[in-house]
Amino acid sequence: MTAAIIDGKEFAAGLRVRVGEGVQAFKAETGSVPGLAVVLVGDDPASAVYVRNKGKQTVEAGMNSFEHKLPSDTAQADLIALVERLNADESVDGILVQLPLPGHLDELAVVSAINPDKDVDGLHVVSAGRLASGLPGLVSCTPLGCMMLIRDTLNGDLAGKEAVVIGRSILVGKPVAQLLLAANCTVTMAHSRTRDLADVVRRADIVVAAVGRPEMVKADWVKPGACVIDVGINRVPAADGKTRLVGDVDTAGVSAVAGSITPVPGGVGPMTIACLLHNTLQAARMRRGMPQDRRF
Ligand code: NDP
């Protein structure tokens, strides 16, 4: 078997178009457009690139983008005061504080200061609680992106499937497992203490690898025909002395066994910003008591 490649880049482009249409419908209904505020503290170059891309794609989707750049020595109280101003600002529907923050700042306290109804990154404990309780709320972007790709690949037919999620972080593993559970999969969460990991993974119809270990999942771990979602982003030495990106899955080997697989790069990665735009539109609708957009 040669696995079908799950093209996250193409899916994300389609999602951005649907969000753009959703924004136009929102504008027609309310006379306003959703707004996303992104807060960047410090001058980490990778974070600056992410923030720039987020702002650009927000504007392209027809929404307002508000960027707040603060110096790296910003005091905790000043950062929280900004978050509180954004909470109170009616033109802001989504707030994202770019992580990681400089070491002297308490990330949990800052994220906890965000109004959960504007928590488009889905990292607030209230967002995690809503997800675990099956209540409507905002789901963090990478897990949401994984789920959209899985649903699309399996034509929504997830009930009763065995899903194994490798990794139990708050950012990826736990929310992905909750989403799969909500879709009626039988979910196993594996982690660094899991015994016989290969045997556990081998029973999965759906594998989500979110570990951060280059090419850890091998072909003989995977059930023939399984859907394999590779969240990992790892930089490894390349033959030319530079580096290249690989995931947590041995893509070449696993592709011979799996039914479908996300590449790295070009799989889960491109979904993250598209899902942020999706969440901003959903937050704007939820805050006004409007139902979920049926386009999604
Ligand atoms: P964390 O480091 O927070 O979590 C890694 C998880 O993997 C932990 O639960 C850990 O277990 C588990 N783990 C580590 N080693 C093993 C092992 N040998 N066997 C089984 N499980 C193991 O990472 P994140 O969840 O934040 O990210 C995971 C990967 O996804 C990274 O490569 C990251 O770069 C990537 N990523 C990609 C994104 C994207 O947009 N595509 C977004 C976010 C992350 P334990 O809990 O026991 O320590």
Side-chain angles (χ1 to χ4, degrees), residues 4 21 38 57 64 112 147 163 172 183 213 220 245 247 251 279:
E21 292 165 0
V38 178
Q57 293 189 28
N64 287 329
S112 300
M147 204 58 198
V172 190
R213 295 198 170 241
D220 64 350
L245 284 187
T251 313
N279 276 353

Side-chain angles (χ1 to χ4, degrees), residues 142 166-173 190-194 197 209-213 216 230-234 248 268-270 272:
T142 302
I166 320 174
R168 55 176 166 180
S169 71
I170 290 171
L171 186 63
V172 190
H191 45 78
S192 67
R193 310 290 177 87
T194 297
L197 181 59
V211 185
R213 295 198 170 241
M216 185 183 82
D230 188 354
V231 186
I233 302 177
N234 309 288
D248 291 340
V268 173
T272 301

Side-chain angles (χ1 to χ4, degrees), residues 68-294:
H68 296 265
K69 293 188 180 149
L70 303 179
S72 53
D73 61 355
T74 297
Q76 172 97 1
D78 292 337
L79 179 54
I80 291 196
L82 171 61
V83 169
E84 283 168 355
R85 278 201 304 282
L86 297 173
N87 283 340
D89 186 338
E90 276 309 310
S91 65
V92 172
D93 295 290
I95 303 170
L96 182 147
V97 178
Q98 184 68 42
L99 303 180
L101 290 171
H104 68 284
L105 295 168
D106 178 347
E107 286 185 355
L108 181 61
V110 172
V111 170
S112 300
I114 297 173
N115 175 350
D117 295 338
K118 296 188 177 188
D119 175 36
V120 283
D121 223 3
L123 297 179
H124 196 293
V125 288
V126 170
S127 300
R130 285 173 175 166
L131 177 60
S133 310
L135 296 170
L138 296 161
V139 177
S140 54
C141 302
T142 302
L144 183 62
C146 291
M147 204 58 198
M148 286 184 182
L149 293 178
I150 294 169
R151 279 192 189 283
D152 185 62
T153 304
L154 302 180
N155 295 318
D157 178 21
L158 270 64
K161 294 227 170 357
E162 289 276 350
V164 172
V165 180
I166 320 174
R168 55 176 166 180
S169 71
I170 290 171
L171 186 63
V172 190
K174 280 185 182 140
V176 167
Q178 291 288 354
L179 289 167
L180 289 163
L181 191 60
N184 296 319
C185 292
T186 302
V187 183
T188 304
M189 296 188 68
H191 45 78
S192 67
R193 310 290 177 87
T194 297
R195 286 196 207 129
D196 305 321
L197 181 59
D199 286 343
V200 172
V201 174
R202 214 171 282 129
R203 63 174 186 241
D205 303 305
I206 301 165
V207 181
V208 179
V211 185
R213 295 198 170 241
E215 302 182 318
M216 185 183 82
V217 177
K218 302 295 181 196
D220 64 350
W221 295 25
V222 174
K223 179 173 167 179
C227 172
V228 178
I229 305 293
D230 188 354
V231 186
I233 302 177
N234 309 288
R235 226 165 246 293
V236 296
D240 59 5
K242 295 185 181 158
T243 58
R244 63 189 176 96
L245 284 187
V246 298
D248 291 340
V249 176
D250 170 14
T251 313
V254 170
S255 293
V257 183
S260 49
I261 188 166
T262 56
V264 176
V268 173
M271 293 298 293
T272 301
I273 297 185
C275 286
L276 175 68
L277 305 179
H278 167 271
N279 276 353
T280 304
L281 174 60
Q282 295 307 335
R285 294 183 66 88
M286 281 187 329
R287 282 186 349 100
R288 287 162 183 80
M290 297 161 78
Q292 276 252 341
D293 194 322
R294 280 207 300 277

